[in-house]
Amino acid sequence: MRIAVAGATGRIGQLTIASLQDAGHQAVKISRRAGVDAYSGDGLADALRGADAIIDSTNTGSQDREQVIDFFGTVTRNLLAAEEEAGVRHHVLLSIVGLDKNGRAPHYDGKREQERLVSAGPVPWSIVRVTQFHDFAAMVAGWTQCDGVATIAPLLIQPIAQADVAAVLAEVAAGGPLNDRIDVAGPETQDLVDMARRTFAARGQDITLVPTWRGVFGPDMAGEVLLPGESARLTSGTFADWLAAGAR
Ligand SMILES: NC(=O)c1ccc[n+]([C@@H]2O[C@H](COP(=O)([O-])OP(=O)(O)OC[C@H]3O[C@@H](n4cnc5c(N)ncnc54)[C@H](OP(=O)(O)O)[C@@H]3O)[C@@H](O)[C@H]2O)c1
Protein backbone atom coordinates (compact mmCIF):
# COMPACT_ATOMS: atom_id res chain seq x y z
CA MET A 1 0.00 0.00 0.00
CA ARG A 2 0.96 3.66 -0.37
CA ILE A 3 0.59 5.27 3.05
CA ALA A 4 1.36 8.92 3.88
CA VAL A 5 2.60 10.01 7.31
CA ALA A 6 1.91 13.60 8.40
CA GLY A 7 4.55 14.48 10.98
CA ALA A 8 7.00 12.12 9.22
CA THR A 9 10.11 13.78 10.66
CA GLY A 10 8.84 13.70 14.27
CA ARG A 11 9.64 11.14 16.93
CA ILE A 12 6.66 8.88 16.20
CA GLY A 13 6.59 9.81 12.51
CA GLN A 14 10.13 8.59 11.81
CA LEU A 15 9.49 5.28 13.58
CA THR A 16 6.18 4.92 11.72
CA ILE A 17 7.86 5.42 8.34
CA ALA A 18 10.32 2.66 9.31
CA SER A 19 7.51 0.32 10.45
CA LEU A 20 5.61 0.87 7.18
CA GLN A 21 8.71 0.21 5.08
CA ASP A 22 9.57 -2.90 7.12
CA ALA A 23 6.08 -4.22 6.32
CA GLY A 24 6.68 -3.64 2.60
CA HIS A 25 4.54 -0.50 2.17
CA GLN A 26 5.46 2.64 0.26
CA ALA A 27 5.69 5.47 2.81
CA VAL A 28 5.18 9.12 1.80
CA LYS A 29 6.58 11.84 4.06
CA ILE A 30 4.53 14.91 4.97
CA SER A 31 6.29 17.57 7.08
CA ARG A 32 7.73 21.01 6.47
CA ARG A 33 11.25 19.53 6.51
CA ALA A 34 10.05 17.11 3.81
CA GLY A 35 8.73 20.08 1.78
CA VAL A 36 5.01 19.74 2.63
CA ASP A 37 3.23 22.15 4.99
CA ALA A 38 -0.03 20.74 6.35
CA TYR A 39 -0.88 24.05 8.07
CA SER A 40 -0.69 26.20 4.91
CA GLY A 41 -1.65 23.25 2.69
CA ASP A 42 1.41 23.74 0.42
CA GLY A 43 2.35 20.48 -1.31
CA LEU A 44 -0.46 18.37 0.20
CA ALA A 45 -2.25 17.58 -3.07
CA ASP A 46 0.95 16.21 -4.64
CA ALA A 47 1.91 14.23 -1.53
CA LEU A 48 -1.49 12.51 -1.30
CA ARG A 49 -1.83 11.60 -4.97
CA GLY A 50 -2.33 7.82 -5.15
CA ALA A 51 -2.22 7.31 -1.37
CA ASP A 52 -4.44 4.60 0.13
CA ALA A 53 -4.25 5.85 3.71
CA ILE A 54 -2.71 8.57 5.88
CA ILE A 55 -1.45 8.54 9.46
CA ASP A 56 -1.50 11.91 11.27
CA SER A 57 1.21 12.21 13.94
CA THR A 58 1.78 15.97 13.64
CA ASN A 59 2.46 18.02 16.74
CA THR A 60 2.98 21.58 17.92
CA GLY A 61 5.25 22.71 20.73
CA SER A 62 2.89 25.57 21.65
CA GLN A 63 1.36 25.66 25.14
CA ASP A 64 -1.03 28.48 24.16
CA ARG A 65 -4.63 27.17 24.04
CA GLU A 66 -5.75 29.27 21.03
CA GLN A 67 -2.61 28.44 19.04
CA VAL A 68 -2.82 24.72 19.81
CA ILE A 69 -6.50 24.49 18.79
CA ASP A 70 -5.79 26.55 15.66
CA PHE A 71 -2.82 24.31 14.71
CA PHE A 72 -4.54 20.95 15.16
CA GLY A 73 -7.84 22.23 13.72
CA THR A 74 -6.29 23.79 10.62
CA VAL A 75 -3.95 20.87 9.89
CA THR A 76 -6.81 18.37 10.28
CA ARG A 77 -9.19 20.35 8.05
CA ASN A 78 -6.47 20.72 5.38
CA LEU A 79 -5.57 17.03 5.49
CA LEU A 80 -9.20 15.86 5.28
CA ALA A 81 -9.97 18.20 2.37
CA ALA A 82 -6.88 17.09 0.45
CA GLU A 83 -7.63 13.42 1.19
CA GLU A 84 -11.20 13.79 -0.09
CA GLU A 85 -9.88 15.43 -3.26
CA ALA A 86 -7.23 12.71 -3.77
CA GLY A 87 -9.58 9.80 -2.95
CA VAL A 88 -7.68 8.67 0.17
CA ARG A 89 -9.98 6.19 1.95
CA HIS A 90 -8.52 5.92 5.46
CA HIS A 91 -7.43 8.64 7.92
CA VAL A 92 -5.61 7.32 11.00
CA LEU A 93 -5.22 9.79 13.87
CA LEU A 94 -2.73 9.36 16.72
CA SER A 95 -4.49 10.57 19.87
CA ILE A 96 -4.30 10.20 23.66
CA VAL A 97 -5.97 7.74 26.05
CA GLY A 98 -8.52 9.36 28.36
CA LEU A 99 -8.87 12.45 26.18
CA ASP A 100 -12.58 12.87 26.86
CA LYS A 101 -12.18 12.45 30.63
CA ASN A 102 -9.65 15.12 31.37
CA GLY A 103 -9.37 18.77 31.57
CA ARG A 104 -7.44 21.81 31.17
CA ALA A 105 -4.05 21.26 29.47
CA PRO A 106 -4.15 23.25 26.18
CA HIS A 107 -2.70 20.27 24.26
CA TYR A 108 -5.77 18.17 25.12
CA ASP A 109 -8.13 20.84 23.76
CA GLY A 110 -6.23 20.70 20.46
CA LYS A 111 -6.38 16.89 20.36
CA ARG A 112 -10.13 16.95 21.13
CA GLU A 113 -10.63 19.32 18.20
CA GLN A 114 -8.67 16.90 15.96
CA GLU A 115 -10.81 13.95 17.09
CA ARG A 116 -14.04 15.93 16.59
CA LEU A 117 -13.11 16.88 13.01
CA VAL A 118 -11.87 13.41 12.06
CA SER A 119 -14.87 11.51 13.47
CA ALA A 120 -17.34 13.92 11.78
CA GLY A 121 -15.30 14.21 8.59
CA PRO A 122 -15.73 12.91 5.04
CA VAL A 123 -12.95 10.28 5.13
CA PRO A 124 -13.32 6.82 6.80
CA TRP A 125 -11.22 6.90 9.95
CA SER A 126 -9.51 5.15 12.85
CA ILE A 127 -8.47 6.97 16.02
CA VAL A 128 -5.60 5.27 17.86
CA ARG A 129 -5.48 6.62 21.41
CA VAL A 130 -2.19 5.74 23.10
CA THR A 131 -0.85 6.38 26.58
CA GLN A 132 2.12 8.64 27.41
CA PHE A 133 5.56 7.82 26.03
CA HIS A 134 8.43 6.66 28.26
CA ASP A 135 10.10 10.09 28.22
CA PHE A 136 6.88 11.82 29.34
CA ALA A 137 8.01 12.30 32.97
CA ALA A 138 11.27 13.98 31.94
CA MET A 139 9.40 16.13 29.40
CA VAL A 140 6.88 17.32 32.02
CA ALA A 141 9.63 18.05 34.58
CA GLY A 142 11.50 19.93 31.84
CA TRP A 143 8.62 22.42 31.51
CA THR A 144 9.41 23.92 34.97
CA GLN A 145 13.02 22.85 35.56
CA CYS A 146 15.10 25.73 36.92
CA ASP A 147 18.33 25.64 39.00
CA GLY A 148 18.10 21.88 39.50
CA VAL A 149 14.47 21.91 40.77
CA ALA A 150 11.34 20.84 38.87
CA THR A 151 7.67 20.42 39.75
CA ILE A 152 5.71 17.38 38.61
CA ALA A 153 2.21 16.02 39.20
CA PRO A 154 1.93 12.51 40.71
CA LEU A 155 -0.09 11.21 37.75
CA LEU A 156 -0.83 7.51 37.28
CA ILE A 157 -0.02 6.48 33.71
CA GLN A 158 0.65 3.26 31.79
CA PRO A 159 3.48 4.40 29.51
CA ILE A 160 4.17 2.96 26.07
CA ALA A 161 7.32 2.53 23.96
CA GLN A 162 7.43 4.86 20.95
CA ALA A 163 8.40 1.98 18.65
CA ASP A 164 5.28 0.08 19.80
CA VAL A 165 3.12 3.13 18.97
CA ALA A 166 4.62 3.26 15.48
CA ALA A 167 4.07 -0.46 14.89
CA VAL A 168 0.39 -0.23 15.88
CA LEU A 169 -0.17 2.86 13.70
CA ALA A 170 1.36 1.09 10.68
CA GLU A 171 -0.77 -2.01 11.27
CA VAL A 172 -4.02 -0.02 11.73
CA ALA A 173 -3.36 2.07 8.60
CA ALA A 174 -2.86 -1.06 6.50
CA GLY A 175 -6.19 -2.48 7.74
CA GLY A 176 -9.66 -1.17 6.99
CA PRO A 177 -11.05 1.95 8.70
CA LEU A 178 -12.47 1.18 12.17
CA ASN A 179 -14.66 4.31 12.26
CA ASP A 180 -14.03 4.04 15.99
CA ARG A 181 -11.45 4.76 18.69
CA ILE A 182 -9.12 2.15 20.19
CA ASP A 183 -6.99 2.43 23.35
CA VAL A 184 -3.40 1.18 23.19
CA ALA A 185 -1.16 1.13 26.30
CA GLY A 186 2.11 -0.18 27.64
CA PRO A 187 2.20 -3.18 29.98
CA GLU A 188 2.51 -1.57 33.46
CA THR A 189 1.05 1.29 35.51
CA GLN A 190 3.60 3.82 36.76
CA ASP A 191 3.65 6.92 38.99
CA LEU A 192 4.98 9.97 37.15
CA VAL A 193 7.13 11.27 40.03
CA ASP A 194 8.82 7.88 40.36
CA MET A 195 9.31 7.75 36.57
CA ALA A 196 10.97 11.18 36.63
CA ARG A 197 13.31 10.15 39.48
CA ARG A 198 14.35 6.97 37.69
CA THR A 199 14.78 8.78 34.36
CA PHE A 200 17.04 11.46 35.83
CA ALA A 201 19.03 8.82 37.74
CA ALA A 202 19.52 6.84 34.51
CA ARG A 203 20.65 10.01 32.75
CA GLY A 204 23.02 10.95 35.60
CA GLN A 205 21.11 14.21 36.26
CA ASP A 206 20.65 15.58 39.78
CA ILE A 207 17.16 17.18 39.79
CA THR A 208 15.07 17.79 42.92
CA LEU A 209 11.42 16.93 42.21
CA VAL A 210 8.55 18.78 43.89
CA PRO A 211 5.23 16.89 43.53
CA THR A 212 2.26 19.22 42.97
CA TRP A 213 -1.22 19.41 41.44
CA ARG A 214 -0.84 23.16 40.85
CA GLY A 215 0.90 23.02 37.47
CA VAL A 216 -0.39 22.08 34.00
CA PHE A 217 -1.91 18.91 35.50
CA GLY A 218 -4.42 19.58 38.29
CA PRO A 219 -6.49 17.30 40.55
CA ASP A 220 -8.88 16.68 37.63
CA MET A 221 -6.16 14.36 36.28
CA ALA A 222 -5.77 12.35 39.52
CA GLY A 223 -6.88 8.74 39.95
CA GLU A 224 -7.33 6.56 36.89
CA VAL A 225 -8.15 9.34 34.38
CA LEU A 226 -5.12 8.63 32.19
CA LEU A 227 -5.22 4.84 32.46
CA PRO A 228 -6.52 2.79 29.50
CA GLY A 229 -9.94 1.10 29.41
CA GLU A 230 -10.28 -2.62 30.11
CA SER A 231 -10.51 -3.43 26.40
CA ALA A 232 -7.20 -1.67 25.63
CA ARG A 233 -4.60 -3.42 23.52
CA LEU A 234 -1.39 -3.81 25.57
CA THR A 235 2.08 -3.61 24.03
CA SER A 236 5.26 -5.21 25.34
CA GLY A 237 8.00 -2.56 25.70
CA THR A 238 8.49 -1.68 29.40
CA PHE A 239 9.70 1.48 31.13
CA ALA A 240 12.52 -0.58 32.67
CA ASP A 241 13.63 -1.67 29.16
CA TRP A 242 13.72 1.98 28.09
CA LEU A 243 15.75 3.01 31.17
CA ALA A 244 18.19 0.15 30.56
CA ALA A 245 18.59 1.29 26.93
CA GLY A 246 19.78 4.75 28.07
CA ALA A 247 16.51 6.63 28.78
CA ARG A 248 16.55 8.58 25.48
N1 LIG B 1 4.33 12.65 24.22
C1 LIG B 1 3.41 11.77 24.61
O1 LIG B 1 3.55 11.15 25.67
C2 LIG B 1 2.20 11.48 23.73
C3 LIG B 1 1.26 10.54 24.16
C4 LIG B 1 0.17 10.24 23.33
C5 LIG B 1 0.02 10.86 22.09
N2 LIG B 1 0.96 11.80 21.71
C6 LIG B 1 0.78 12.45 20.41
O2 LIG B 1 1.82 12.05 19.54
C7 LIG B 1 1.85 12.97 18.45
C8 LIG B 1 3.26 13.05 17.86
O3 LIG B 1 4.17 13.42 18.86
P1 LIG B 1 5.75 13.48 18.57
O4 LIG B 1 6.42 13.56 19.89
O5 LIG B 1 6.14 12.42 17.59
O6 LIG B 1 5.85 14.91 17.84
P2 LIG B 1 7.18 15.65 17.31
O7 LIG B 1 8.38 14.81 17.49
O8 LIG B 1 7.13 17.03 17.89
O9 LIG B 1 6.90 15.73 15.73
C9 LIG B 1 5.95 16.61 15.21
C10 LIG B 1 5.90 16.44 13.70
O10 LIG B 1 4.90 17.35 13.19
C11 LIG B 1 5.44 17.96 12.03
N3 LIG B 1 4.81 19.24 11.76
C12 LIG B 1 4.69 20.32 12.57
N4 LIG B 1 4.10 21.34 11.91
C13 LIG B 1 3.81 20.86 10.67
C14 LIG B 1 3.21 21.42 9.51
N5 LIG B 1 2.77 22.70 9.49
N6 LIG B 1 3.08 20.66 8.40
C15 LIG B 1 3.54 19.36 8.38
N7 LIG B 1 4.13 18.78 9.44
C16 LIG B 1 4.26 19.52 10.57
C17 LIG B 1 6.94 18.12 12.36
O11 LIG B 1 7.73 18.26 11.19
P3 LIG B 1 8.30 19.68 10.63
O12 LIG B 1 8.77 20.46 11.80
O13 LIG B 1 9.34 19.25 9.66
O14 LIG B 1 7.11 20.31 9.94
C18 LIG B 1 7.22 16.76 13.00
O15 LIG B 1 7.45 15.82 11.97
C19 LIG B 1 1.25 14.29 18.99
O16 LIG B 1 0.10 14.62 18.24
C20 LIG B 1 0.87 13.96 20.44
O17 LIG B 1 -0.37 14.51 20.82
C21 LIG B 1 2.04 12.11 22.48
Side-chain angles (χ1 to χ4, degrees):
M1 290 173 70
R2 183 175 167 88
I3 301 177
V5 178
T9 52
R11 297 180 316 155
I12 295 299
Q14 290 182 45
L15 293 166
T16 304
I17 295 273
S19 288
L20 288 168
Q21 290 171 339
D22 286 350
H25 301 296
Q26 189 182 355
V28 179
K29 294 181 185 172
I30 293 176
S31 94
R32 290 165 302 178
R33 276 169 282 174
V36 186
D37 189 331
Y39 185 82
S40 70
D42 286 349
L44 270 185
D46 282 346
L48 290 177
R49 194 163 296 126
D52 300 297
I54 181 169
I55 297 166
D56 182 4
S57 67
T58 52
N59 203 4
T60 170
S62 175
Q63 296 286 333
D64 177 87
R65 192 174 309 277
E66 301 284 309
Q67 280 178 19
V68 174
I69 294 172
D70 174 59
F71 174 84
F72 282 123
T74 304
V75 165
T76 305
R77 274 187 288 270
N78 287 346
L79 288 176
L80 292 172
E83 288 160 34
E84 200 180 13
E85 187 68 28
V88 179
R89 300 306 298 151
H90 189 187
H91 181 106
V92 179
L93 172 63
L94 172 58
S95 190
I96 306 173
V97 162
L99 196 66
D100 40 14
K101 289 189 267 174
N102 59 47
R104 57 203 174 94
H107 191 78
Y108 293 107
D109 281 336
K111 299 298 288 184
R112 280 190 280 264
E113 177 67 354
Q114 263 187 321
E115 285 205 1
R116 187 184 71 74
L117 291 166
V118 167
S119 58
V123 179
W125 53 279
S126 304
I127 293 179
V128 179
R129 286 180 164 181
V130 308
T131 50
Q132 289 66 34
F133 308 155
H134 285 144
D135 64 355
F136 186 72
M139 183 179 83
V140 171
W143 294 338
T144 61
Q145 195 174 311
C146 184
D147 296 332
V149 179
T151 61
I152 188 158
L155 300 174
L156 279 188
I157 66 170
Q158 196 162 319
I160 187 167
Q162 292 177 25
D164 288 341
V165 173
V168 172
L169 288 172
E171 182 195 308
V172 169
L178 303 170
N179 293 312
D180 203 355
R181 298 165 174 79
I182 55 166
D183 276 7
V184 184
E188 300 160 344
T189 303
Q190 303 282 345
D191 154 3
L192 201 68
V193 180
D194 182 57
M195 284 177 70
R197 267 199 197 102
R198 290 160 70 193
T199 302
F200 290 131
R203 292 180 178 177
Q205 288 176 280
D206 186 14
I207 312 274
T208 301
L209 293 166
V210 181
T212 180
W213 290 112
R214 293 186 187 164
V216 171
F217 300 111
D220 52 319
M221 307 280 279
E224 302 199 346
V225 168
L226 289 173
L227 296 184
E230 277 180 12
S231 60
R233 174 171 169 176
L234 300 187
T235 55
S236 60
T238 66
F239 182 61
D241 293 338
W242 179 75
L243 290 175
R248 299 285 170 190

